[in-house]
Amino acid sequence: MSTAEVLASVDIVALRLNEQAELELLLIRRAQAPFEQQWALPGVLVNGRCQDLSLEAAACRALASKARVEPRYLEQVATVGNGTRDPRGWSISTFYLALLQPDTVLQGEDLCFVALSAVLDGSLGLPFDHGQLVAQAFERLGGKSVYTSLPLYLLAPRFTVTEALGAFQACLGQAVQHTTLRGRLERMKQQGWIAETGEKNYPRMGRPQNLLEHQARSDAAFIFDRSVLS
Amino acid sequence: MSTAEVLASVDIVALRLNEQAELELLLIRRAQAPFEQQWALPGVLVNGRCQDLSLEAAACRALASKARVEPRYLEQVATVGNGTRDPRGWSISTFYLALLQPDTVLQGEDLCFVALSAVLDGSLGLPFDHGQLVAQAFERLGGKSVYTSLPLYLLAPRFTVTEALGAFQACLGQAVQHTTLRGRLERMKQQGWIAETGEKNYPRMGRPQNLLEHQARSDAAFIFDRSVLS
DNA sequence: ATAATAGTGTCTGTGAGACATTATGTA
DNA sequence: TACATAATGTCTCACAGACACTATTAT
């Protein structure tokens, strides 16, 4: 590669909630050098040879062809670029935050989920600067979760208040009063973002839970006019 | 250029407030093809030949060497990439929002300020997709102005409440109650973001204005826990 | 004095925070 | 029955919105 070229890639930070309402990160085992066989973020190179119509299309290609999952939400986070992040030379990476359904199943031995916390606290290192990308994507998720309904995209379309509470707490990293969340969901209901199904979910113990339905609109999240306070 | 290459650039959406508290956009007359001699966003190409340490460094280089101004605030907005935005082929542009001081003076005949509104409403067209980049950057500014102190970076470090009101209204595109803004500034004062200078500004008519001092911290804006409502 | 503009005070409404209370299931 | 969990109600507080009122300058 001549020094005039730039290595441009799109990488995906795909998250899902596990049964314990903890966030997990999707990784792929790299098939090619550099860092061959290591677990890293799924991504693709973008250049004139690919017929991607746009960067977003390239992100969808990475999700479909590499991660082989379909996200409920996709958002561009940022772009990093410098001469040291890739051993091959000056490179830039535009990275996306993808939110997956909790029941997402992986197709292939080269894919796995790991605890997001392990990546964030450094106990699980990633090649390139992927650890930083993950941190920045999670920061975006947490920041938006303060005043939007973004965590609902980590749930199935039909969900309970308890599940929603787990999603918000995982994104925010702190406890949230369930009454606060109920108030917010109520406001979303009035504006048509959420509907009561009338059905109930019967857990092993305790009173049954109302099943709500989240009708997502064009990958956007509901914006509340106040923040969840510390 | 081979089809395997990607044209990567960094473009700057630099804004300032004029005397009438209206936003103006900094443009540069292009020295080279394509679109030679046309007014466009200042920007630079990034590739292995440049010794930029990072994308942000490239943005600073664009501001210093092309626009020849020093911003009070700089933030990456997003990255666009497709095969049609540049006649030379598949290209990507990472673009930044820069906020300038109101007394910014331009050095050179190839630089000018134009009314941001003219670009947003399409009455002033820009080459490439620069019009879209401007719209997206302004959207970011407006969105953040709802719940942060970002518009203060459009003012000199010493400012009056009236000037701040003008900045917020220009960013939000709507009227703001001055009592609301005073309350927010008061809260910033308590947390050390703003200090009362004790001095006063004497306008041609009316009661003199208190001069406040905005001590910016590391290019970040103060975050309020509520939104300015519609 | 009058005009013009800056700054303060008051009242209302909304929604988060905290916590108590009631409701509805299982064992 | 006891227990577990869900859902609702109540009270307080902070702050935006609206608007009245007071303060301080120039002419």
Side-chain angles (χ1 to χ4, degrees), chain B residues 113-183:
Chain B
F113 281 111
V114 299
L116 174 63
S117 59
V119 177
L120 293 178
D121 70 17
S123 63
L124 172 55
L126 295 182
F128 304 104
D129 53 1
H130 285 186
Q132 285 210 354
L133 306 194
V134 172
Q136 216 171 320
F138 177 64
E139 199 175 335
R140 169 73 60 92
L141 175 61
K144 282 205 167 184
S145 298
V146 169
Y147 66 98
T148 73
S149 66
L150 203 49
L152 295 188
Y153 284 99
L154 284 164
L155 304 177
R158 319 180 98 227
F159 67 100
T160 66
V161 172
T162 303
E163 289 168 342
L165 202 57
F168 273 88
Q169 292 178 153
C171 295
L172 291 166
Q174 68 176 18
V176 174
Q177 291 270 336
H178 74 102
T179 46
T180 298
L181 179 60
R182 285 175 199 278

Coordinates of all heavy atoms in Angstrom, one line a residue, chain B residues 113-183:
Chain B
F113 N -17.7 34.9 5.2 CA -18.8 34.5 6.0 C -20.1 34.7 5.2 O -20.3 35.7 4.6 CB -18.9 35.2 7.3 CG -18.0 34.7 8.4 CD1 -16.9 35.5 8.8 CD2 -18.1 33.5 9.0 CE1 -16.0 35.1 9.8 CE2 -17.3 33.0 9.9 CZ -16.2 33.8 10.4
V114 N -21.0 33.7 5.2 CA -22.3 33.9 4.6 C -23.4 33.5 5.6 O -23.1 32.9 6.6 CB -22.5 32.9 3.4 CG1 -21.4 33.3 2.3 CG2 -22.4 31.5 3.8
A115 N -24.6 34.0 5.4 CA -25.7 33.7 6.3 C -26.0 32.2 6.3 O -26.2 31.6 5.3 CB -26.9 34.5 5.9
L116 N -25.9 31.6 7.5 CA -26.2 30.2 7.6 C -27.6 29.9 7.1 O -27.8 28.8 6.4 CB -26.1 29.7 9.1 CG -26.5 28.3 9.4 CD1 -25.6 27.3 8.7 CD2 -26.5 28.0 10.9
S117 N -28.5 30.8 7.3 CA -29.9 30.5 6.8 C -30.0 30.4 5.3 O -30.8 29.6 4.8 CB -30.8 31.7 7.3 OG -30.3 32.9 6.7
A118 N -29.1 31.1 4.6 CA -29.2 31.0 3.1 C -28.7 29.6 2.7 O -29.2 29.1 1.7 CB -28.2 32.1 2.5
V119 N -27.8 29.0 3.4 CA -27.4 27.7 3.1 C -28.4 26.7 3.5 O -28.7 25.7 2.7 CB -26.0 27.4 3.8 CG1 -25.6 25.9 3.5 CG2 -25.0 28.3 3.3
L120 N -29.0 26.9 4.6 CA -30.0 25.9 5.1 C -31.3 25.9 4.2 O -31.9 24.8 4.0 CB -30.4 26.2 6.5 CG -29.3 26.0 7.6 CD1 -29.8 26.4 9.0 CD2 -28.8 24.6 7.6
D121 N -31.7 27.0 3.7 CA -32.9 27.1 2.9 C -32.6 26.8 1.4 O -33.6 26.9 0.6 CB -33.7 28.3 3.2 CG -33.0 29.6 2.6 OD1 -32.1 29.4 1.8 OD2 -33.4 30.7 3.0
G122 N -31.4 26.6 1.1 CA -31.1 26.2 -0.3 C -30.9 27.4 -1.2 O -30.5 27.2 -2.4
S123 N -31.1 28.6 -0.7 CA -30.9 29.8 -1.6 C -29.4 30.0 -2.0 O -29.1 30.7 -2.9 CB -31.5 31.0 -1.0 OG -30.8 31.4 0.2
L124 N -28.5 29.4 -1.1 CA -27.1 29.4 -1.5 C -26.6 28.0 -1.5 O -26.5 27.3 -0.5 CB -26.3 30.2 -0.4 CG -24.8 30.2 -0.5 CD1 -24.4 30.6 -2.0 CD2 -24.1 31.0 0.5
G125 N -26.4 27.5 -2.7 CA -26.0 26.1 -2.9 C -24.5 26.0 -2.7 O -23.7 26.9 -3.1
L126 N -24.1 24.8 -2.2 CA -22.6 24.5 -2.0 C -22.3 23.3 -2.8 O -23.1 22.4 -3.1 CB -22.3 24.3 -0.6 CG -22.5 25.5 0.4 CD1 -22.1 25.1 1.8 CD2 -21.7 26.7 -0.1
P127 N -21.0 23.2 -3.3 CA -20.6 22.0 -4.0 C -20.5 20.7 -3.2 O -20.7 20.8 -1.9 CB -19.2 22.4 -4.5 CG -18.7 23.4 -3.5 CD -19.9 24.2 -3.1
F128 N -20.3 19.6 -3.8 CA -20.3 18.3 -3.1 C -21.7 18.2 -2.4 O -22.7 18.7 -2.9 CB -19.2 18.2 -2.1 CG -17.8 18.4 -2.8 CD1 -17.1 19.5 -2.5 CD2 -17.2 17.4 -3.5 CE1 -15.8 19.7 -3.1 CE2 -16.0 17.5 -4.1 CZ -15.3 18.7 -3.9
D129 N -21.7 17.5 -1.2 CA -22.9 17.5 -0.4 C -22.7 18.4 0.8 O -23.3 18.2 1.9 CB -23.1 16.0 0.1 CG -21.9 15.5 0.7 OD1 -20.9 16.2 0.8 OD2 -21.9 14.3 1.1
H130 N -21.9 19.5 0.6 CA -21.6 20.3 1.7 C -22.8 21.0 2.4 O -22.9 21.2 3.6 CB -20.6 21.4 1.3 CG -19.2 20.9 1.2 ND1 -18.1 21.7 0.9 CD2 -18.7 19.6 1.2 CE1 -17.0 20.9 0.8 NE2 -17.4 19.7 1.0
G131 N -23.9 21.2 1.6 CA -25.1 21.7 2.1 C -25.7 20.8 3.2 O -26.1 21.2 4.2
Q132 N -25.6 19.5 2.9 CA -26.1 18.5 3.8 C -25.3 18.4 5.1 O -25.8 18.3 6.2 CB -26.2 17.1 3.2 CG -27.3 16.9 2.2 CD -27.8 15.5 2.1 OE1 -27.1 14.6 2.7 NE2 -28.9 15.2 1.4
L133 N -24.0 18.5 4.9 CA -23.1 18.5 6.1 C -23.4 19.7 7.0 O -23.5 19.6 8.2 CB -21.6 18.6 5.6 CG -21.1 17.6 4.6 CD1 -19.6 17.6 4.6 CD2 -21.6 16.2 5.0
V134 N -23.6 20.9 6.4 CA -24.0 22.0 7.2 C -25.3 21.8 7.9 O -25.4 22.1 9.1 CB -24.1 23.3 6.3 CG1 -24.6 24.5 7.0 CG2 -22.7 23.6 5.7
A135 N -26.3 21.3 7.2 CA -27.5 21.0 7.9 C -27.4 20.1 9.1 O -28.0 20.3 10.1 CB -28.5 20.5 6.9
Q136 N -26.6 19.0 8.9 CA -26.4 18.0 9.9 C -25.7 18.6 11.1 O -26.0 18.4 12.3 CB -25.7 16.8 9.4 CG -26.1 15.5 9.9 CD -25.5 14.3 9.2 OE1 -25.3 14.4 7.9 NE2 -25.1 13.3 9.9
A137 N -24.7 19.5 10.8 CA -23.9 20.1 11.9 C -24.8 21.1 12.7 O -24.7 21.1 13.9 CB -22.7 20.8 11.3
F138 N -25.6 21.8 12.0 CA -26.5 22.7 12.7 C -27.6 22.0 13.5 O -27.9 22.4 14.6 CB -27.2 23.6 11.7 CG -28.2 24.6 12.3 CD1 -27.8 25.6 13.2 CD2 -29.6 24.5 12.0 CE1 -28.7 26.4 13.8 CE2 -30.5 25.4 12.6 CZ -30.0 26.3 13.5
E139 N -28.0 20.9 13.0 CA -28.9 20.0 13.7 C -28.3 19.6 15.1 O -28.9 19.6 16.1 CB -29.3 18.8 12.9 CG -30.6 18.1 13.3 CD -30.9 17.0 12.3 OE1 -30.5 17.1 11.1 OE2 -31.6 16.0 12.7
R140 N -27.0 19.2 15.0 CA -26.3 18.8 16.2 C -26.3 20.0 17.2 O -26.5 19.8 18.4 CB -24.9 18.3 15.8 CG -24.0 18.1 17.0 CD -24.3 16.9 17.8 NE -24.2 15.7 17.0 CZ -23.1 14.9 16.9 NH1 -22.0 15.3 17.6 NH2 -23.1 13.8 16.2
L141 N -25.9 21.1 16.7 CA -25.8 22.3 17.5 C -27.2 22.6 18.2 O -27.3 22.8 19.4 CB -25.4 23.5 16.7 CG -25.3 24.9 17.4 CD1 -24.4 24.9 18.6 CD2 -25.0 26.0 16.4
G142 N -28.2 22.6 17.4 CA -29.6 22.9 17.9 C -30.0 21.8 19.0 O -30.5 22.1 20.0
G143 N -29.7 20.5 18.6 CA -30.1 19.5 19.6 C -29.4 19.6 20.9 O -30.0 19.4 21.9
K144 N -28.1 19.9 20.8 CA -27.3 20.0 22.1 C -27.7 21.3 22.8 O -27.6 21.4 24.1 CB -25.8 20.0 21.8 CG -25.3 18.6 21.5 CD -23.8 18.5 21.9 CE -23.4 17.0 21.9 NZ -22.0 16.9 22.3
S145 N -28.1 22.3 22.1 CA -28.4 23.6 22.8 C -29.6 23.5 23.7 O -29.8 24.3 24.5 CB -28.6 24.7 21.7 OG -27.4 24.9 21.0
V146 N -30.4 22.4 23.4 CA -31.6 22.3 24.2 C -31.3 21.9 25.7 O -32.0 22.3 26.6 CB -32.5 21.1 23.6 CG1 -33.6 20.7 24.5 CG2 -33.1 21.6 22.3
Y147 N -30.2 21.2 25.9 CA -29.9 20.7 27.2 C -28.4 20.9 27.6 O -28.0 20.4 28.6 CB -30.3 19.2 27.4 CG -29.5 18.3 26.5 CD1 -28.4 17.6 27.1 CD2 -29.7 18.1 25.2 CE1 -27.6 16.8 26.3 CE2 -29.0 17.2 24.4 CZ -27.9 16.6 25.0 OH -27.2 15.7 24.2
T148 N -27.7 21.8 26.9 CA -26.3 22.1 27.3 C -26.1 23.6 27.2 O -26.9 24.3 26.6 CB -25.3 21.4 26.5 OG1 -25.2 21.9 25.2 CG2 -25.6 19.9 26.3
S149 N -24.9 24.0 27.5 CA -24.5 25.4 27.5 C -23.7 25.7 26.2 O -23.0 26.7 26.1 CB -23.7 25.8 28.7 OG -22.4 25.1 28.7
L150 N -23.8 24.8 25.2 CA -23.0 24.9 24.0 C -23.0 26.3 23.4 O -21.9 26.8 23.0 CB -23.4 23.9 23.0 CG -22.4 23.5 21.9 CD1 -21.1 23.1 22.5 CD2 -22.9 22.3 21.1
P151 N -24.1 27.0 23.3 CA -24.1 28.3 22.6 C -23.2 29.3 23.2 O -22.8 30.3 22.6 CB -25.6 28.8 22.7 CG -26.4 27.5 22.8 CD -25.5 26.6 23.6
L152 N -22.8 29.1 24.5 CA -21.9 30.1 25.1 C -20.5 30.1 24.4 O -19.8 31.1 24.5 CB -21.7 29.8 26.6 CG -22.9 29.9 27.5 CD1 -22.5 29.7 28.9 CD2 -23.6 31.2 27.3
Y153 N -20.2 29.1 23.7 CA -18.9 29.0 22.9 C -19.0 29.9 21.7 O -18.0 30.1 21.0 CB -18.6 27.6 22.6 CG -18.0 26.8 23.7 CD1 -18.9 25.9 24.4 CD2 -16.7 26.9 24.1 CE1 -18.4 25.2 25.5 CE2 -16.2 26.2 25.2 CZ -17.1 25.3 25.9 OH -16.6 24.6 26.9
L154 N -20.1 30.5 21.4 CA -20.2 31.4 20.3 C -20.0 32.8 20.7 O -20.1 33.8 20.0 CB -21.6 31.3 19.6 CG -21.9 30.1 18.7 CD1 -23.3 29.9 18.5 CD2 -21.1 30.3 17.4
L155 N -19.8 33.0 22.0 CA -19.6 34.3 22.6 C -18.1 34.5 23.0 O -17.4 33.5 23.2 CB -20.5 34.5 23.8 CG -22.0 34.3 23.6 CD1 -22.7 34.4 24.9 CD2 -22.5 35.3 22.6
A156 N -17.7 35.8 23.3 CA -16.4 36.0 23.9 C -16.5 35.5 25.3 O -17.5 35.3 25.9 CB -16.1 37.5 23.8
P157 N -15.3 35.2 25.9 CA -15.3 34.7 27.2 C -16.0 35.6 28.2 O -16.6 35.1 29.2 CB -13.8 34.7 27.6 CG -13.1 34.5 26.2 CD -14.0 35.3 25.3
R158 N -16.0 36.9 28.0 CA -16.8 37.8 28.8 C -18.0 38.2 28.1 O -17.9 38.8 27.0 CB -15.9 39.0 29.2 CG -14.5 38.7 29.6 CD -13.7 39.9 30.0 NE -13.6 40.0 31.4 CZ -13.8 41.1 32.1 NH1 -14.1 42.2 31.4 NH2 -13.7 41.1 33.4
F159 N -19.2 38.0 28.7 CA -20.4 38.2 27.9 C -21.5 38.7 28.8 O -21.4 38.7 30.1 CB -20.8 36.9 27.3 CG -21.2 35.8 28.3 CD1 -22.6 35.6 28.5 CD2 -20.3 35.1 29.0 CE1 -23.0 34.6 29.5 CE2 -20.7 34.1 29.9 CZ -22.0 33.9 30.2
T160 N -22.6 39.1 28.2 CA -23.8 39.6 29.0 C -24.9 38.6 28.8 O -24.9 37.7 27.8 CB -24.2 40.9 28.5 OG1 -24.7 40.8 27.1 CG2 -23.1 42.0 28.5
V161 N -25.9 38.7 29.6 CA -27.1 37.8 29.5 C -27.8 38.0 28.2 O -28.2 37.0 27.5 CB -28.0 38.0 30.7 CG1 -29.3 37.2 30.5 CG2 -27.4 37.6 32.0
T162 N -27.8 39.2 27.7 CA -28.5 39.5 26.5 C -27.8 38.8 25.3 O -28.4 38.2 24.4 CB -28.5 41.0 26.2 OG1 -29.2 41.6 27.3 CG2 -29.3 41.4 24.9
E163 N -26.5 38.9 25.3 CA -25.7 38.2 24.3 C -26.0 36.7 24.4 O -26.1 36.0 23.3 CB -24.2 38.5 24.4 CG -23.8 39.9 24.1 CD -22.4 40.3 24.5 OE1 -21.8 39.5 25.4 OE2 -21.9 41.2 24.0
A164 N -26.0 36.1 25.6 CA -26.2 34.7 25.7 C -27.6 34.3 25.2 O -27.8 33.3 24.5 CB -26.1 34.3 27.2
L165 N -28.6 35.2 25.5 CA -29.9 34.9 25.0 C -29.9 34.9 23.5 O -30.6 34.0 22.9 CB -30.8 36.1 25.5 CG -32.3 35.8 25.6 CD1 -32.6 34.6 26.4 CD2 -33.0 37.0 26.1
G166 N -29.2 35.8 22.8 CA -29.1 35.8 21.4 C -28.5 34.6 20.8 O -29.0 34.0 19.9
A167 N -27.5 34.1 21.5 CA -26.8 32.9 21.1 C -27.7 31.7 21.2 O -27.8 30.9 20.2 CB -25.5 32.7 21.9
F168 N -28.4 31.5 22.3 CA -29.3 30.4 22.4 C -30.4 30.4 21.4 O -30.8 29.4 20.8 CB -29.9 30.3 23.9 CG -29.0 29.6 24.8 CD1 -28.0 30.3 25.5 CD2 -29.2 28.2 25.1 CE1 -27.2 29.6 26.4 CE2 -28.4 27.6 25.9 CZ -27.4 28.2 26.6
Q169 N -31.0 31.6 21.2 CA -32.1 31.7 20.3 C -31.6 31.4 18.8 O -32.4 30.8 18.1 CB -32.8 33.1 20.4 CG -33.4 33.2 21.7 CD -34.1 34.5 22.0 OE1 -35.1 34.6 22.8 NE2 -33.6 35.6 21.4
A170 N -30.4 31.8 18.5 CA -29.9 31.6 17.2 C -29.7 30.0 17.0 O -30.0 29.5 15.9 CB -28.6 32.3 16.9
C171 N -29.2 29.4 18.0 CA -29.0 27.9 17.9 C -30.3 27.1 17.9 O -30.4 26.1 17.2 CB -28.1 27.5 19.0 SG -26.4 28.2 19.0
L172 N -31.2 27.6 18.7 CA -32.5 26.8 18.8 C -33.5 27.2 17.8 O -34.4 26.4 17.5 CB -33.1 27.1 20.2 CG -32.3 26.5 21.4 CD1 -32.8 27.1 22.7 CD2 -32.4 25.0 21.4
G173 N -33.3 28.4 17.2 CA -34.3 28.8 16.2 C -35.6 29.2 16.8 O -36.7 29.1 16.1
Q174 N -35.7 29.5 18.1 CA -36.9 29.9 18.7 C -36.6 30.8 19.9 O -35.5 30.8 20.4 CB -37.7 28.7 19.2 CG -37.0 28.0 20.3 CD -37.8 26.8 20.9 OE1 -38.8 26.3 20.2 NE2 -37.5 26.3 22.1
A175 N -37.6 31.5 20.4 CA -37.4 32.4 21.5 C -37.2 31.6 22.8 O -37.8 30.5 22.9 CB -38.7 33.3 21.6
V176 N -36.5 32.2 23.7 CA -36.2 31.6 25.0 C -36.5 32.7 26.0 O -36.1 33.8 25.9 CB -34.7 31.1 25.1 CG1 -34.5 30.6 26.5 CG2 -34.4 30.1 24.1
Q177 N -37.2 32.3 27.1 CA -37.5 33.2 28.2 C -36.2 33.6 28.9 O -35.4 32.7 29.2 CB -38.4 32.5 29.2 CG -39.8 32.2 28.7 CD -40.7 33.4 29.0 OE1 -40.5 34.2 29.9 NE2 -41.8 33.5 28.2
H178 N -36.0 34.9 29.1 CA -34.7 35.3 29.7 C -34.6 34.8 31.1 O -33.5 34.5 31.6 CB -34.6 36.8 29.6 CG -35.4 37.6 30.5 ND1 -34.9 38.1 31.7 CD2 -36.7 37.9 30.5 CE1 -35.9 38.7 32.3 NE2 -37.0 38.6 31.6
T179 N -35.8 34.6 31.8 CA -35.7 34.1 33.2 C -35.2 32.7 33.2 O -34.5 32.3 34.1 CB -37.1 34.2 33.8 OG1 -38.0 33.6 32.9 CG2 -37.4 35.6 34.2
T180 N -35.6 31.9 32.2 CA -35.1 30.5 32.1 C -33.6 30.5 31.9 O -32.9 29.8 32.6 CB -35.8 29.8 30.9 OG1 -37.2 29.8 31.1 CG2 -35.2 28.4 30.7
L181 N -33.1 31.3 31.0 CA -31.7 31.4 30.8 C -30.9 31.9 32.0 O -29.9 31.3 32.4 CB -31.3 32.3 29.6 CG -29.8 32.5 29.3 CD1 -29.2 31.1 29.0 CD2 -29.6 33.4 28.2
R182 N -31.5 32.9 32.7 CA -30.9 33.4 33.9 C -30.7 32.3 35.0 O -29.7 32.1 35.7 CB -31.7 34.5 34.5 CG -31.5 35.8 33.8 CD -32.4 36.9 34.3 NE -32.5 38.0 33.3 CZ -31.6 39.0 33.2 NH1 -30.5 39.0 33.9 NH2 -31.8 39.9 32.3
G183 N -31.8 31.5 35.1 CA -31.7 30.3 36.0 C -30.6 29.4 35.7 O -29.9 28.9 36.6

